[in-house]
Amino acid sequence: MFSKILIANRGEVAVRIIRACKDMGISTVAVYSEADEESIHVALADEAICVGKASPKDSYLNMENIISAALVTGAQAIHPGYGFLAENAGFARLCKKFGLVFIGPDAKVIEKMGDKDAARKLMVQAGVPVVPGSDLIENLQQARQEARRIGFPLLIKASAGGGGKGIRLVKDESQLEHAFLMAAEEAKNAFGNGNVYMEKYLAPVKHIEIQLLSDEKGNTVCLGERECSIQRNNQKLLEEAPSSGLSAELRERMMEAAGRAAKAAGYTNAGTVEFLLDTDQNFYFMEMNTRLQVEHPITEEISGVDLVKWQIRIASGVLLDMKQEDIRLKGAAIECRINARSGGTVTFLHVPGGPGVRFETALYQGYQVPPFYDSLIGKLVVHGQNREEAIRKMQSALCELVVEGVANNIEEQLEILDDPDFRKGEYFTDFIQRKGL
Ligand code: ADP
Ligand code: ADP
Ligand code: MG
């Protein structure tokens, strides 16, 4: 097992990883930008090194400085969290080159699955159903041809996209030319890679994803699903596990397909296979996220498995001590993402608690939220004996939670929980838009 780990991230996920390390008796090294000197992850880690200016490209994406920080402090491994360098195959390679363990799958696997177009092809080979769509689109003529074959509405997607970015809806032929040219240009600017392809736009659909853990011997367990259909602009807002849209039989089939996907990719460590599920119970592979996911705590709550600790164990060569038949999923869990809608200083903070209530955050009273990073400032997670109890628990926890000084979306989360269709579990990825929330 490692004795020292560097955490190449900030915010709530850096705190989450530091806590896991402390439980495991592993020393921690935080890295931070000049804007994050007063951040809680810096205070909680055993050591902390400034890796650059506020802008992510100068600090949290600055591979050379992060590797140097690990070498100088004698860290043996680097946990990338999510976002930033978590799905950067070049960074995983660089770690290896300098004798550091990248806590995640092999660079080749990251590369393969990070290219959405290549991942789709691999899934077709593995017999996993994918959303009907095209190969890479090279030019406008090809775009027209493929669009007619697929049918409208369709999506143009960046092969290198992520975080809800790089997706464009095309309703009819008249929008195609502009959309295609814009999408390729945007993809080049945002991801340094202008490759795009098309997918049929499926609606109504649920976003259902399967959490996996695989060790170096290829032993794999599936820890059930998460439903992430509550989204704004293709970005998740509220997630729950299990999904009320899945029968036990369908869950089995989706877990089997996810296991096959992982096997085809030669996957190790924690990973998530994302699917779209239509109202006829057909499911389609969308992408695989080769990292810890933002909403991982709801799986931890229902499975009792600590995903971050297992990421660290697997990266150090420990084999899974559980088999699929040992996995027991209990009760229901919900996560509400708390997003900042402004900058500012937290003038007052009250955090809810009690059995089954967990608040993952890097906030503290007096903290000044820097404007340079993701808007996620906290994740409120509850676990109940069943969905009804989890919803009630989330409602009271959201009412208790007070974040003053920074505009946020606590009220919006309460509105979602209040909605009769949400209560019935009858909702799809267009929920927020349809409800005008
Ligand atoms: P999850 O898939 O874990 O639910 P999100 O899709 O919300 O997470 O993305 C997690 C974080 O990573 C967000 O901060 C998002 O902006 C960022 N992110 C994910 N993929 C990319 C990418 N390819 N490029 C830039 N940022 C990304
Ligand atoms: P990202 O890498 O940004 O997470 P995804 O490919 O996972 O991108 O898609 C993000 C979201 O966009 C999905 O959760 C879903 O709501 C929507 N989406 C993606 N593909 C389709 C599709 N073919 N049809 C309908 N909605 C889609
Ligand atoms: Mg996705």
Side-chain angles (χ1 to χ4, degrees):
M1 183 48 65
F2 311 118
S3 56
K4 193 186 273 191
I5 291 177
L6 180 141
I7 296 100
N9 216 303
R10 64 180 303 282
E12 67 84 20
V13 72
V15 173
R16 167 77 186 88
I17 298 161
I18 292 168
R19 285 180 178 146
C21 290
K22 288 194 177 186
D23 280 6
M24 297 171 88
I26 299 170
S27 310
T28 51
V29 182
V31 293
Y32 62 98
S33 71
E34 286 177 6
D36 272 343
E37 208 175 332
E38 303 296 323
S39 288
I40 198 88
H41 76 283
V42 174
L44 291 180
D46 298 307
E47 293 166 76
I49 293 194
C50 181
V51 286
K53 295 202 185 300
S55 163
K57 72 175 185 337
D58 294 329
S59 48
Y60 300 104
L61 293 172
N62 186 333
M63 300 192 223
E64 289 76 14
N65 285 5
I66 291 171
I67 298 269
S68 302
L71 295 175
V72 161
T73 53
Q76 295 127 0
I78 298 187
H79 197 307
Y82 55 73
F84 297 126
L85 297 169
E87 290 170 282
N88 187 315
F91 181 65
R93 277 204 187 95
L94 206 57
C95 287
K96 205 168 179 180
K97 186 170 151 195
F98 285 95
L100 299 162
V101 176
F102 175 84
I103 300 177
D106 191 73
K108 278 200 204 92
V109 177
I110 300 176
E111 201 156 54
K112 212 166 9 180
M113 302 315 269
D115 178 341
K116 290 185 176 187
D117 167 66
R120 280 166 57 83
K121 290 193 173 114
L122 186 70
M123 290 307 121
V124 173
Q125 279 170 24
V128 176
V130 301
V131 181
S134 74
D135 289 340
L136 289 185
I137 304 285
E138 311 278 350
N139 54 46
L140 194 55
Q141 187 197 349
Q142 207 182 352
R144 287 214 180 88
Q145 228 168 39
E146 287 298 299
R148 274 185 213 123
R149 187 178 61 80
I150 297 165
F152 294 96
L154 56 79
L155 296 176
I156 302 182
K157 284 191 174 184
S159 290
K165 295 167 208 123
I167 301 177
R168 203 168 250 271
L169 177 65
V170 186
K171 290 187 180 143
D172 56 52
E173 179 122 25
S174 74
Q175 299 181 340
L176 186 64
E177 179 172 347
H178 180 70
F180 170 70
L181 297 173
M182 292 294 288
E185 185 64 26
E186 273 172 16
K188 205 185 294 163
N189 291 335
F191 312 111
N193 170 349
N195 285 351
V196 296
Y197 66 99
M198 291 175 181
E199 272 182 14
K200 189 171 180 60
Y201 179 71
L202 303 177
V205 280
K206 283 176 172 289
H207 172 121
I208 307 283
E209 58 186 34
I210 305 285
Q211 177 69 53
L212 296 161
L213 278 177
S214 296
D215 65 23
E216 281 176 359
K217 285 254 153 68
N219 302 307
T220 297
V221 291
C222 285
L223 300 172
E225 82 281 8
R226 294 184 286 260
E227 162 146 19
C228 317
S229 305
I230 305 288
Q231 306 180 347
R232 183 192 297 288
N233 301 328
N234 302 319
Q235 286 170 337
K236 300 161 186 169
L237 264 183
L238 177 155
E239 301 96 344
E240 60 175 319
S243 164
S244 41
L246 257 65
S247 63
E249 185 267 337
L250 181 56
R251 176 171 302 117
E252 279 302 313
R253 281 201 288 131
M254 292 186 78
M255 294 205 302
E256 191 273 329
R260 228 173 327 133
K263 197 158 181 204
Y267 203 82
T268 39
N269 218 296
T272 298
V273 184
E274 295 189 337
F275 294 103
L276 291 177
L277 175 69
D278 72 16
T279 47
D280 295 325
Q281 311 237 304
N282 298 307
F283 59 87
Y284 305 90
F285 172 86
M286 201 162 37
E287 65 162 345
M288 179 160 191
N289 291 324
T290 56
R291 56 171 166 85
L292 185 70
Q293 207 117 353
V294 175
E295 57 275 19
H296 75 275
I298 56 174
T299 298
E300 297 184 323
E301 293 299 321
I302 63 163
S303 67
V305 174
D306 188 311
L307 288 165
V308 177
K309 286 184 192 165
W310 271 106
Q311 284 191 295
I312 295 169
R313 289 189 194 112
I314 291 170
S316 79
V318 174
L319 299 182
L320 287 174
D321 68 353
M322 52 191 135
K323 294 207 162 38
Q324 191 62 49
E325 53 272 25
D326 304 329
I327 306 296
R328 296 270 178 281
L329 303 176
K330 285 203 197 86
I334 304 174
E335 169 180 283
C336 285
R337 296 192 187 198
I338 309 300
N339 294 323
R341 287 179 163 165
S342 74
T345 299
V346 180
T347 51
F348 184 78
L349 178 69
H350 175 78
V351 171
V357 178
R358 167 175 172 189
F359 189 51
E360 298 284 351
T361 191
L363 295 183
Y364 59 86
Q365 214 157 301
Y367 177 66
Q368 203 176 338
V369 176
F372 310 101
Y373 312 107
D374 204 83
S375 59
L376 185 77
I377 52 172
K379 305 184 316 200
L380 187 54
V381 180
V382 301
H383 182 231
Q385 294 198 7
N386 52 48
R387 191 170 186 262
E388 290 67 42
E389 191 188 88
I391 291 174
R392 281 198 298 271
K393 213 179 266 231
M394 182 58 90
Q395 287 176 310
S396 48
L398 281 168
C399 290
E400 256 186 71
L401 176 64
V402 183
V403 182
E404 277 174 14
V406 177
N408 60 65
N409 67 333
I410 296 174
E411 281 304 316
E412 166 189 53
Q413 293 287 12
L414 281 165
E415 281 180 50
I416 296 169
L417 292 166
D418 235 1
D419 182 88
D421 289 328
F422 177 80
R423 290 304 186 96
K424 283 186 267 175
E426 289 170 10
Y427 64 89
F428 301 93
T429 53
D430 61 356
F431 177 88
I432 293 289
Q433 203 187 8
R434 262 167 37 98
K435 300 282 174 178
L437 286 172

